[in-house]
C-alpha cells in the first residue's frame, strides 16, 4: 500500500487513479459487448446457446437451459444443513430490513374538491444477475432477490453462468429457491443480459435488470439501458476506513483486506490522523497478506489501488472520504456517530470497531449491492424502491378547476401551446 501525507496536490491524483477502474473507461470492450447483445436480440436462443458454449464451455438447449425442479431438489441434498440454516438466518435479517423500506400510496384532499396522490405499483418482472461459474455467491442471490419479492414483483427471473458440466452451483440454487426466484436460467455474461432485455424463445423479457457482474456484464447493462431499466453499472469493490489513534490496527488491516481480495482492481484505503496507526496498519497488512489464500490478488490490488493517507485533522479526513464516495465506509474513531453525521457520500457506513464490512456483506440486513467508483454521490444501495414505480393521481372538481383555469390558460399561452389552453377554455365557454 502507498503511504501518503494528504495534501491538495495529491487528492486529485488519487481520485483520478481510482476512477480508472470505472467500467466507463473500458471502451475497448464495448464493440465486443454490443456485438453479442445485438446477436442475441436478433437470433435469440441460437445465439444464446452458442455464446454459452463458447464462453462457459457448457452445451445447452431449450430443454436444459432452465433449472429444473429435479435439479433444485438435488441441490438441497448437496448443501450442508448448517449452511442452509445460515442462509435462512441471513435472509430473515435482509427481509426484515427491506420490509421497512416499503412505500405506500397516499391521497391528499382539499375542501374545494381537489384530490392529489401517489400510487405505488411493483414492477411486473425483474431480472437478477448472479455471478457464477467457478465461484458461488449465495449472498448476492439473497441481496438481489429479497427486495424484489418484498416489493411484490411477481416474476423474478434469475440468470447465472453454469459450470462446464452445465450445472449451477447447488448453494446458489438453494439460495435462489429460498429467496423466491420464480425461474432460474443457466446463462451468464453479456448474452444473459441481452436475453433479459429483449427476451428469447426460452427466457422472458423483463422490466428491470439488477445485480453485479464482470466488465462484460456491466457494459451490457449499459448497452440495453432504455430498453429495460437497470440498477446501476457496478465497478470493482472498494473500502475506505476513517480511523484515529483509538483504532485497533489489526482490525483495520483485516477489514481493508476483506475488500482487496475481491479482484486486482479492488480498492482499499485508510485515511487516518495518526502516523503511528498508519505504520501499524501497514505492518499488519503485510503480515495478513502473507498468510491469506488470495495472496497474489491482494498484492496486485494493494499495489495498484491501496492507499494509507495521513490527514492533518479529522475534517480533512472527512473531506477526502466525501470526495472518494466509497462503496463501503468504516468509521473507527472515538466517536463514530459524530463523524457519521458529516459523511455525505458513501454506499454503506459501518460504525465502530465491531461493525466490520463482511457483516454487511452477509448478515446484518442492509443491501450489499452498492454504488461504486464515486457514484455514491448520486446513487443509493439496491432497495425495495428499485422494484416499484410511482404514478401521480390527480382529481379536480369543477369548482377547483374554475379557480385555477385562468392561471393554467395564461401559462399555456405563454408557451404558445394554444391547444393546452383550449382544453381548459372549452369547459367554461358558456
Amino acid at each position: 500500500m502507498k503511504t501518503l501525507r494528504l495534501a491538495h496536490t495529491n487528492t486529485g491524483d488519487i481520485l483520478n487513479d481510482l476512477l480508472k477502474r470505472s467500467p466507463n473507461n473500458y471502451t475497448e470492450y464495448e464493440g465486443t459487448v454490443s456485438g453479442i447483445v445485438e446477436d442475441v436480440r436478433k437470433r435469440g436462443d441460437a445465439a444464446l446457446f452458442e455464446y454459452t458454449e463458447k464462453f462457459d464451455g457448457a452445451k445447452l438447449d431449450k430443454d436444459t437451459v432452465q433449472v429444473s425442479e429435479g435439479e433444485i431438489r438435488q441441490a438441497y441434498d448437496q448443501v450442508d444443513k448448517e449452511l442452509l440454516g445460515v442462509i435462512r438466518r441471513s435472509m430473515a435479517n435482509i427481509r426484515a430490513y427491506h420490509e421497512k423500506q416499503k412505500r405506500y400510496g397516499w391521497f391528499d384532499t382539499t375542501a374545494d374538491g381537489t384530490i392529489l396522490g401517489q400510487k405505488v405499483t411493483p414492477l411486473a418482472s425483474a431480472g437478477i444477475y448472479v455471478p457464477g461459474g467457478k465461484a458461488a455467491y449465495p449472498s448476492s442471490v439473497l441481496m438481489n432477490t429479497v427486495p424484489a419479492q418484498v416489493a411484490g414483483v411477481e416474476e423474478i427471473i434469475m440468470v447465472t453462468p453454469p459450470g462446464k458440466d452445465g450445472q449451477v452451483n447447488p448453494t446458489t440454487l438453494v439460495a435462489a429457491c429460498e429467496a423466491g426466484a420464480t425461474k432460474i436460467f443457466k446463462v451468464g455474461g453479456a448474452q444473459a443480459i441481452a436475453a433479459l432485455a429483449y427476451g428469447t424463445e426460452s427466457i422472458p423479457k423483463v422490466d428491470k435488470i439488477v445485480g453485479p457482474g464482470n466488465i462484460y456484464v456491466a457494459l451490457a447493462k449499459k448497452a440495453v439501458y432504455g430498453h429495460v431499466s437497470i440498477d446501476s453499472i457496478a465497478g470493482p469493490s472498494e473500502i475506505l476506513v476513517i480511523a484515529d489513534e483509538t483504532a485497533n490496527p489489526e482490525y483495520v488491516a483485516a477489514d481493508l483486506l476483506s475488500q482487496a481480495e475481491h479482484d486486482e482492481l479492488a480498492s482499499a484505503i485508510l485515511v487516518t490522523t495518526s502516523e503511528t496507526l498508519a505504520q501499524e496498519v501497514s505492518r499488519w497488512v503485510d503480515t495478513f497478506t502473507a498468510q491469506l489464500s488470495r495472496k497474489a490478488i491482494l498484492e496486485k490490488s494493494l499495489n495498484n489501488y491501496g492507499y494509507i493517507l495521513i490527514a492533518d485533522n479529522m475534517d480533512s479526513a472527512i473531506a477526502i472520504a466525501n470526495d472518494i464516495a466509497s462503496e463501503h465506509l468504516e468509521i473507527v474513531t472515538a466517536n463514530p456517530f459524530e463523524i457519521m453525521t458529516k459523511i455525505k457520500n458513501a454506499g454503506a457506513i459501518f460504525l465502530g470497531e465491531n461493525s466490520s464490512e463482511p457483516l454487511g456483506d452477509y448478515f446484518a440486513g442492509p443491501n450489499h449491492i452498492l454504488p461504486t467508483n464515486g457514484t455514491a454521490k448520486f446513487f443509493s444501495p439496491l432497495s425495495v424502491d428499485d422494484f416499484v414505480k410511482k404514478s401521480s393521481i390527480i382529481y379536480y372538481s369543477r369548482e377547483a378547476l374554475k379557480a385555477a383555469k385562468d392561471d393554467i390558460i395564461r401559462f399555456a399561452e405563454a408557451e404558445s401551446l394554444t391547444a393546452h389552453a383550449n382544453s381548459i377554455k372549452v369547459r367554461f365557454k358558456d
Side-chain angles (χ1 to χ4, degrees), residues 368-390:
H368 78 199
I369 298 171
L370 304 166
T372 58
N373 285 109
T375 60
K377 292 178 180 178
F378 45 83
F379 280 140
S380 304
L382 191 73
S383 72
V384 171
D385 284 347
D386 283 288
F387 298 99
V388 300
K389 52 194 175 68
K390 307 173 188 73

Side-chain angles (χ1 to χ4, degrees), residues 15 238 240 242 317-331 339-349 371 373-381:
L15 291 173
E238 55 200 32
L240 187 146
I242 297 176
I318 293 167
I320 187 65
N322 280 325
D323 282 342
I324 292 173
S326 186
E327 177 188 18
H328 306 98
L329 172 65
E330 289 189 7
I331 304 176
I339 303 299
M340 180 267 294
T341 63
K342 300 176 182 179
I343 296 298
K344 298 177 181 178
N345 306 318
I349 303 173
N373 285 109
T375 60
K377 292 178 180 178
F378 45 83
F379 280 140
S380 304

Side-chain angles (χ1 to χ4, degrees), residues 1-2 4 239-244 247 249 252-253 256 268-274 277-282 306-311 320 330 332:
M1 296 181 76
K2 297 175 282 288
L4 303 172
I239 184 172
L240 187 146
V241 179
I242 297 176
D244 61 16
V252 172
L256 291 169
I269 300 174
L270 166 64
V271 185
T272 181
T273 52
S274 168
L277 181 78
Q279 293 167 2
E280 286 296 300
V281 168
S282 181
Y307 289 95
I308 296 176
L309 306 177
I310 303 172
I320 187 65
E330 289 189 7
V332 192

